[in-house]
RNA sequence: GGGUGAAUAGCGAAGUGGCCAAACGCGGCUGACUGUAAAUCAGCUCUUAAUUGUUCGGUGGUUCGAAUCCAUCUUCACCCA
């Protein structure tokens, strides 16, 4: 197996944006990149071939949900996640730290870990930093995450400090328990507080992870707060290691992240929006359910090179939505994923020419949606 | 020709004397969605600016009050000849 590392090819002269190649056991992928999310070992409504056709690199899966069903022992017996879900590119598993946030009403946090009450039969599921690592080792992704708490926003500084310190202790415990050569990332928490983000980033850097994530963003905080959290965290992370901004998938957040030196993004936004009939375009979002698209025979986005835009009209996608045909969700997901991947591809080209800021301004200028990004 | 049953908002369907402008579902129109408990969720959907006006097949009654009771007509469904 090849060694995991980020090869930085070029840094933009006018910002912190950089382009690179992430070397992984399942292939080299270019950064910055957008990673589609396949929580249950599938990017919903898409085959791996369809995901790859969007020029995907890394794809995500989720430790908590796969632990519940089918269970990591089955995935292991199947030959690991890649074989199980038939995706031969790099895979990243999230640790279950996000579920500490999203399933807050059904879990209890202690120093040792988190006890979840699962939604299937009410059974207890205990996740410790060590258990989360062990499960991820069984799942066999290329990149795995430390077990953390995704801290809600807003939260009192007193709590954010307590939680951030605990997440740091958990990162260290996970690191010590980690046995395989999968790349384990530490996760920077610290909420909206500059000093806590700095503290968390510095402490994690000392532990020398092969990569670093920034967590606890895009969970309802104002845009400016999110941008500040990114900057506060990135500043103290080692330059030559990959930086992963977790859960970010809107155009503006991705571009701001890239400008600040982020290499990896993941988000359920494109796939969820797609299933719900909202399409991302260079000019703004489209709600394909709207009556105005009934007779609109244009593609979703003139500038998009995705399979959906090449072959289907808005009218057809509107029709599929109205009659609840699964194909609509598939075609919409292909478009939204390709749209974001294409966005970061263009960003990479701009960085190589030291024109990232101009590129960003151009994207913003073209975008005209009163509802925002 | 005889009998029985039914007609409620765009559709289906509750309601069988006042709490009914009328449940609920579908359809229609809009929104939301950011490390996925999400093919989900929320709002509006007779008419008004309105506590406004007009409704429950038609007409005429009974009653303080009718979608609900009575009479009659129309249409539909099923059954008998």
């Amino acid at each position: 197996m090849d060694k995991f590392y980020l090869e930085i090819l070029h840094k933009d002269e006018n910002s912190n944006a950089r382009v690179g190649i992430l070397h992984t056991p399942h292939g080299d992928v270019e950064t910055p990149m957008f990673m589609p999310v396949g929580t249950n070992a599938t990017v919903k409504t898409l085959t791996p071939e369809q995901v790859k056709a969007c020029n995907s690199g890394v794809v995500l899966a989720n430790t908590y949900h796969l632990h519940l069903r089918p269970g990591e022992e089955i995935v292991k017996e199947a030959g690991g996640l890649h074989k199980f879900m038939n995706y031969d590119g790099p895979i990243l598993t999230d640790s279950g730290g996000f579920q500490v946030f999203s399933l807050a009403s059904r879990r209890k946090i202690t120093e040792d870990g988190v006890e979840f009450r699962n939604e299937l039969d009410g059974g207890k599921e205990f996740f410790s930093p060590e258990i989360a690592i062990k499960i991820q080792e069984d799942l066999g992704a290329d990149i795995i995450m430390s077990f953390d708490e995704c801290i809600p926003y807003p939260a009192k500084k007193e709590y954010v400090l307590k939680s951030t310190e605990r997440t740091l202790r958990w990162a260290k415990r996970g690191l010590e328990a980690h046995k395989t050569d999968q790349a384990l990332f530490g996760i920077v928490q610290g909420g909206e507080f500059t000093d806590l983000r700095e503290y968390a980033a510095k402490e994690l850097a000392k532990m020398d992870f092969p990569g670093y994530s920034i967590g606890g963003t895009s969970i309802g905080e104002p845009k400016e707060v999110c941008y500040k959290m990114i900057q506060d965290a990135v500043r103290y992370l080692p330059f030559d290691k990959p930086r992963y901004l977790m859960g970010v998938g809107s155009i503006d957040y991705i571009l701001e992240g890239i400008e600040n030196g982020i290499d990896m993004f993941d988000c359920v936004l494109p796939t969820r929006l797609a299933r719900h009939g909202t399409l991302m375009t260079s000019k703004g979002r489209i709600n394909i359910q709207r009556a105005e698209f009934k007779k609109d025979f244009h593609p979703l986005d003139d500038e998009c090179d995705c399979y959906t835009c090449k072959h289907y009209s808005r009218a057809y996608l509107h029709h599929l939505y109205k009659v609840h045909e699964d194909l609509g969700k598939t075609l919409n997901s292909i478009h939204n994923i390709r749209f974001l991947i294409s966005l970061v591809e263009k960003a990479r080209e701009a960085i190589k020419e030291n024109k990232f800021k101009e590129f960003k301004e151009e994207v913003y200028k073209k975008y005209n949606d009163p509802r925002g990004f």
Side-chain angles (χ1 to χ4, degrees), chain A residues 72-92:
Chain A
E72 60 275 14
E73 65 288 346
I74 287 180
V75 175
K76 188 178 184 183
E77 196 179 329
L81 258 183
H82 295 87
K83 210 171 163 199
F84 188 54
M85 66 187 281
N86 185 36
Y87 189 78
D88 60 9
I91 298 176
L92 181 157

Side-chain angles (χ1 to χ4, degrees), chain A residues 190-205:
Chain A
E192 62 181 303
F193 306 101
T194 298
D195 54 338
L196 297 186
R197 286 279 175 186
E198 176 183 343
Y199 168 64
K202 283 180 171 171
E203 289 300 310
L204 284 173

Side-chain angles (χ1 to χ4, degrees), chain A residues 107-270:
Chain A
R107 55 71 174 153
K108 204 174 127 192
I109 306 175
T110 62
E111 178 59 28
D112 198 26
V114 177
E115 184 169 272
F116 295 93
R117 214 161 18 82
N118 81 49
E119 67 278 8
L120 303 173
D121 60 7
K124 290 177 170 31
E125 311 292 341
F126 184 70
F127 267 56
S128 68
E130 294 82 5
I131 291 169
I133 295 293
K134 178 66 170 66
I135 298 172
Q136 293 185 88
E137 288 178 348
D138 286 344
L139 293 173
D142 301 84
I143 305 167
I144 64 178
M145 292 296 123
S146 296
F147 189 56
D148 66 329
E149 182 198 358
C150 176
I151 303 169
Y153 177 91
K156 287 193 179 126
K157 187 167 185 180
E158 188 186 3
Y159 182 78
V160 176
L161 170 64
K162 191 178 144 195
S163 172
T164 299
E165 289 184 318
R166 183 171 52 215
T167 287
L168 287 170
R169 289 191 292 275
W170 286 0
K172 191 162 193 182
R173 281 167 56 185
L175 195 59
E176 284 164 3
H178 184 38
K179 300 277 193 296
T180 68
D181 58 1
Q182 294 164 293
L184 172 63
F185 281 31
I187 303 177
V188 180
Q189 290 294 341
E192 62 181 303
F193 306 101
T194 298
D195 54 338
L196 297 186
R197 286 279 175 186
E198 176 183 343
Y199 168 64
K202 283 180 171 171
E203 289 300 310
L204 284 173
K206 283 185 208 164
M207 295 181 216
D208 194 27
F209 284 93
Y212 297 88
S213 304
I214 298 170
T217 63
S218 55
I219 48 170
E221 76 283 6
K223 192 176 286 190
E224 305 69 43
V225 173
C226 179
Y227 292 172
K228 191 169 76 70
M229 292 195 287
I230 297 169
Q231 289 165 4
D232 291 342
V234 163
R235 191 173 295 131
Y236 303 100
L237 293 176
F239 180 82
D240 59 345
K241 297 287 178 64
R243 298 138 169 196
Y244 162 29
L245 181 57
M246 308 183 85
V248 158
S250 63
I251 297 168
D252 52 344
Y253 278 31
I254 288 176
L255 294 182
E256 295 299 325
I258 290 176
E259 183 171 348
N260 282 289
I262 300 294
D263 307 298
M264 305 157 69
F265 303 86
D266 82 287
C267 199
V268 306
L269 195 63

